[in-house]
Amino acid sequence: MRSLWDDKEAAGFKGDIAQRVYTSRLLGREPALVLHGGGNTSVKIERANLFGEPERLLMVKGSGWDLATIEAPGFAPVRMDHLLKLAALPRLSDPQMAAELRVATVDPAAPAPSVESILHAILPFKFVDHTHADALLSLTNTPHGVEHVREAFGERVVIIPYVMPGFDLARVCAERFPRERTGKTVGMVLMCHGLFTWGENARTAYERMIALVGRAERYLRAREAWTYPVSRKWRAPKTLRLDLANLRREISGAAGGPMIVATNSDPIFIDFARRKDIAALSQQGPATPDHILRTKQRPMLGRDVAKFVAEYRRYFETYAPAAKQKLTMLDAAPRIALDPEFGLATVGKTAAEAAIAADIYRHTVDVLSRAAALDQWRALPTKDLFEVEYWDLEQAKLRRQGAPPRFAGEVALITGGASGIGAACVETFLKQGAAVVALDLSAKVKELSPHPAYLGLVCDVTDAQALRDALEAAVRRFGGLDMLVLNAGVFPSSRTIGAMDSEEWERTMRVNLDANLLLLREAHPLLQLAPAGARVVVIASKNVPAPGPGASAYSASKAALTQLARVAALEWGGEGIRVNILHPNAVFDTALWTDEVLAKRAKNYGLSVDEYKRNNVLRTEVRSRDVAALTAEMCGPSFAKTTGAQVPIDGGNERVI
Ligand code: ZN
């Protein structure tokens, strides 16, 4: 680990708070120090209040901010005198502590101060840095942890035994730190938790952190416990999508609603899952309290969800009988699964949540493997795990998050997703919380959205193998398939029957009809496994109820597609799969309609382009996003009891009405 301090860069951050921002970001740049909101920093300043009275304030990282991207407003200003008085209390419950931290914050718009604020306050130094460094955890989380820490750091640190984070930990540190510090002390190690360093300026505090973590790394290296061999020969089996979709269905059942299940078949995870000592290593618990809420106390080994849930409940009842009534507040579903075939699967209500769990577990694999190579892995004390898991503060945080968006945990696949109605559907479904897989012939589909819940795949929907590959990729990324939007289609140029070209007819049928049969057929086993019942929306056309001259291939293909969808509604209704059909008309912001075509058509009818766009009963323009909104609605609860329906979205058409 090397210091990332850069004089030139640092000079751009003037004043104590700006310096605090700068080195906090340096810490945040190193995931082996702090991961996803883990770790926190502070600076003590003096500032005049409204009455001109000087006030000592702790500027401490607020919740909801990540060190990597923190800015000045991410630090909550908390009155030092209040914090120090709190530290002297014999006891304080965690909800009380959270309330007091709020009361002592002088800016009502500030984020909630870190739950470790009191700990920062009692350390009598200007800049204080705190991380949950991987290298340190490999030392502390072993049977001889204290000896390892002492040997690695000598007299440089005060060692605090493991105490659950919160008021009690601050209290223990307030007692022990002044007593045990010496002239050589530059840091404080919290066993099974993390590391504190400090300094009179931001650079000193930061570089002491880097130096101590560097020592821990060298200690592991010297004992051949830093790198561990990874076999590169593993590769996940070619087809896993049904296994994974099954697993997701069971996990979602245990969680009480659809969940995203993301797999990662990196050889590191397959290797780890195949270790002979995997049960002993993985089942004890997490490395640091920070990891618990997102990864649960231990991963599921293999794919037996029912067994995992039963064990989880038994474990819970044994160690935390007093907190039993809170069981209903939490689902018992795993957040991490390790499997010798696919490696790692992580579970989340959103794709981002699942990705965070995977990031954390990637570091857990490092920490565990190194601890095992150094000595023997030992997780947090079992009893404390439940105390942390049901930690009031964390619970309050979960409650504050409120109701998730309606498609949270669900996966939608949209064909023809790169432009027009398809692209509008991608945006709408992402906005409503779904993970979205878009298929398109155009490479544009890959870059359509930077959202972590988006996967764009170049795919020729008329190629059955390409569709199977796309479904496999979709399920590996998100776990299954809940919603299918059949949108890809072609609109051949106007041609009378007398002039119809067989090749064009066949191509139209292939894309608008046959490709949809292939996808429905290949997707069906996945749709059957959708935890909350699958939905299919078919984008057909006004040309079905009201065909146009010169559009025989298009009208016939969409009519046949509509009939196919109606049969699917009949065949699959018993499996809880709803199939509904939309008939859009005159949606001009799609790839089918160039300005040229539009102008030509308008002229044919003797209308201006604008009149032509609004040439319907309601005199309204129908846009791609209107069709997308109705498509999403058809997948939502208002259409829960409707299947096989054909709904026009055309501004009202006299031939249809
Ligand atoms: Zn911490």
Side-chain angles (χ1 to χ4, degrees):
M1 182 137 315
R2 297 244 301 274
S3 169
L4 302 173
W5 178 275
D6 179 305
D7 280 329
K8 238 169 91 189
E9 226 176 37
F13 292 83
K14 293 197 171 47
D16 288 341
I17 294 171
Q19 284 282 299
R20 181 64 289 173
V21 168
Y22 176 56
T23 59
S24 299
R25 288 185 192 166
L26 294 186
L27 291 173
R29 262 199 240 165
E30 183 51 81
L33 285 178
V34 291
L35 254 185
H36 299 294
N40 40 61
T41 56
S42 68
V43 58
K44 298 176 184 79
I45 61 166
E46 200 169 284
R47 196 155 79 181
N49 66 14
L50 183 66
F51 312 105
E53 300 150 354
E55 205 162 45
R56 285 197 74 210
L57 296 173
L58 178 79
M59 306 294 296
V60 64
K61 195 199 97 162
S63 74
W65 286 83
D66 205 305
L67 287 184
T69 51
I70 200 160
E71 292 163 31
F75 291 93
V78 195
R79 289 205 320 274
M80 274 295 289
D81 58 348
H82 199 113
L83 289 170
L84 294 176
K85 271 194 220 163
L86 290 176
L89 289 175
R91 81 195 135 266
L92 189 65
S93 77
D94 286 327
Q96 272 177 320
M97 181 180 79
E100 286 300 318
L101 293 180
R102 252 291 167 227
V103 167
T105 305
V106 298
D107 175 1
S114 160
V115 295
E116 289 172 318
S117 296
I118 300 177
L119 230 164
H120 280 261
I122 57 131
L123 292 169
F125 312 103
K126 187 163 179 151
F127 288 86
V128 175
D129 292 18
H130 170 47
T131 71
H132 307 135
D134 290 353
L136 178 83
L137 295 170
S138 291
L139 263 59
T140 60
N141 294 43
T142 58
H144 304 95
V146 173
E147 284 114 292
H148 293 305
V149 171
R150 201 39 89 204
E151 218 179 310
F153 299 139
E155 295 301 307
R156 291 172 187 83
V157 296
V158 166
I159 303 174
I160 306 290
Y162 180 75
V163 177
M164 187 181 81
F167 180 75
D168 293 344
L169 175 61
R171 185 93 195 83
V172 169
C173 294
E175 268 171 32
R176 293 183 68 145
F177 182 73
R179 229 174 37 217
E180 296 180 20
R181 71 183 280 207
T182 69
K184 291 184 184 147
T185 307
V186 293
M188 181 167 77
V189 168
L190 309 181
M191 296 299 289
C192 305
H193 176 159
L195 185 58
F196 276 87
T197 56
W198 46 78
E200 280 314 298
N201 56 58
R203 182 177 186 171
T204 306
Y206 167 72
E207 290 193 332
R208 280 177 173 165
M209 176 65 69
I210 300 300
L212 287 181
V213 174
R215 272 185 180 275
E217 287 181 0
R218 286 195 298 279
Y219 184 84
L220 288 162
R221 248 185 251 281
R223 283 150 190 82
E224 282 171 15
W226 180 251
T227 50
Y228 48 91
V230 174
S231 161
R232 290 281 153 195
K233 68 179 181 200
W234 309 128
R235 199 175 295 161
K238 262 202 163 125
T239 316
L240 275 171
R241 60 183 183 277
L242 277 182
D243 289 12
L244 290 172
N246 246 312
L247 182 66
R248 169 173 178 256
R249 185 187 169 92
E250 284 185 46
I251 288 174
S252 299
M259 299 295 270
I260 297 295
V261 178
T263 49
N264 186 328
S265 299
D266 189 298
I268 285 183
F269 292 123
I270 299 185
D271 222 31
F272 188 70
R274 292 183 181 203
R275 281 182 72 124
K276 283 200 185 68
D277 58 352
I278 185 62
L281 207 53
S282 70
Q283 297 301 287
Q284 288 184 37
T288 171
D290 190 30
H291 294 178
I292 292 176
L293 274 152
R294 279 137 165 188
T295 63
K296 285 263 156 90
Q297 82 281 25
R298 51 191 176 163
M300 180 170 80
L301 284 183
R303 306 180 195 176
D304 195 338
V305 180
K307 187 171 145 227
F308 177 88
V309 170
E311 277 176 11
Y312 182 86
R313 288 176 186 271
R314 199 163 46 241
Y315 192 65
F316 180 89
E317 282 165 11
T318 310
Y319 291 105
K324 203 170 164 185
Q325 69 277 13
K326 293 182 184 170
L327 186 62
T328 49
M329 282 179 53
L330 289 153
D331 65 74
R335 289 296 176 272
I336 305 276
L338 289 167
D339 180 273
E341 270 195 302
F342 61 69
L344 176 79
T346 56
V347 181
K349 197 68 204 169
T350 61
E353 232 176 73
I356 287 174
D359 270 1
I360 290 178
Y361 210 75
R362 175 67 193 79
H363 287 266
T364 302
V365 169
D366 274 350
V367 173
L368 265 61
S369 305
R370 289 169 187 158
L374 174 70
D375 182 342
Q376 191 190 331
W377 164 251
R378 206 172 63 181
L380 305 184
T382 309
K383 182 177 160 289
D384 284 355
L385 283 186
F386 278 102
E387 288 181 11
V388 174
E389 191 158 354
Y390 297 97
W391 196 14
D392 297 318
L393 296 179
E394 290 297 340
Q395 283 306 319
K397 203 183 330 176
L398 288 179
R399 276 194 300 272
R400 273 201 307 277
Q401 286 170 358
R406 68 168 161 185
F407 295 142
E410 295 202 289
V411 186
L413 187 140
I414 298 159
T415 64
S419 61
I421 292 171
C425 283
V426 168
E427 199 190 321
T428 303
F429 279 83
L430 281 173
K431 238 184 228 158
Q432 299 192 17
V436 174
V437 182
L439 311 186
D440 206 292
L441 265 182
S442 161
K444 242 176 68 190
V445 76
K446 291 198 280 191
E447 314 296 332
L448 203 60
S449 168
H451 203 294
Y454 176 75
L455 174 65
L457 299 169
V458 175
C459 177
D460 175 357
V461 291
T462 63
D463 177 345
Q465 188 54 47
L467 283 176
R468 283 192 282 271
D469 292 345
L471 289 171
E472 185 72 22
V475 175
R476 288 200 188 197
R477 177 68 74 89
F478 300 125
L481 184 59
D482 305 276
M483 296 171 282
L484 186 58
V485 179
L486 301 181
N487 164 68
V490 289
F491 189 81
S493 53
S494 186
R495 207 188 286 274
T496 60
I497 293 170
M500 179 52 67
D501 175 86
S502 290
E503 225 167 82
E504 184 162 293
W505 174 273
E506 280 159 20
R507 189 178 78 93
T508 308
M509 288 297 168
R510 212 161 45 237
V511 178
N512 291 1
L513 177 62
D514 302 359
N516 289 312
L517 171 76
L518 293 180
L519 184 51
L520 286 170
R521 184 184 74 200
E522 297 301 327
H524 182 222
L526 296 172
L527 295 172
Q528 286 176 302
L529 294 169
R535 288 83 84 199
V536 178
V537 178
V538 173
I539 309 295
S541 169
K542 178 253 2 174
N543 277 35
V544 174
S552 59
Y554 185 75
S555 301
S557 68
K558 289 291 190 179
L561 172 62
T562 299
Q563 209 67 345
L564 172 67
R566 295 174 73 198
V567 174
L570 289 169
E571 288 185 2
W572 298 351
E575 296 162 354
I577 304 171
R578 301 192 276 112
V579 185
N580 288 300
I581 302 136
L582 273 181
H583 292 320
N585 187 36
V587 182
F588 296 116
D589 56 342
T590 70
L592 302 179
W593 290 91
T594 59
D595 288 346
E596 199 185 323
V597 174
L598 201 53
K600 202 171 136 199
R601 277 303 182 86
K603 208 175 143 205
N604 276 355
Y605 288 85
L607 299 169
S608 72
V609 168
D610 188 59
E611 281 168 342
Y612 182 65
K613 279 184 177 176
R614 297 167 189 275
N615 189 18
N616 54 49
V617 172
L618 294 171
R619 297 273 173 259
T620 185
E621 188 185 340
V622 182
R623 295 152 307 174
S624 290
R625 64 169 184 273
D626 301 322
V627 180
L630 188 53
T631 303
E633 203 53 42
M634 282 185 139
C635 294
S638 33
F639 276 79
K641 303 193 174 170
T642 301
T643 194
Q646 301 178 53
V647 179
I649 174 159
D650 55 9
N653 181 298
E654 281 169 14
R655 288 180 57 209
V656 175
I657 292 171

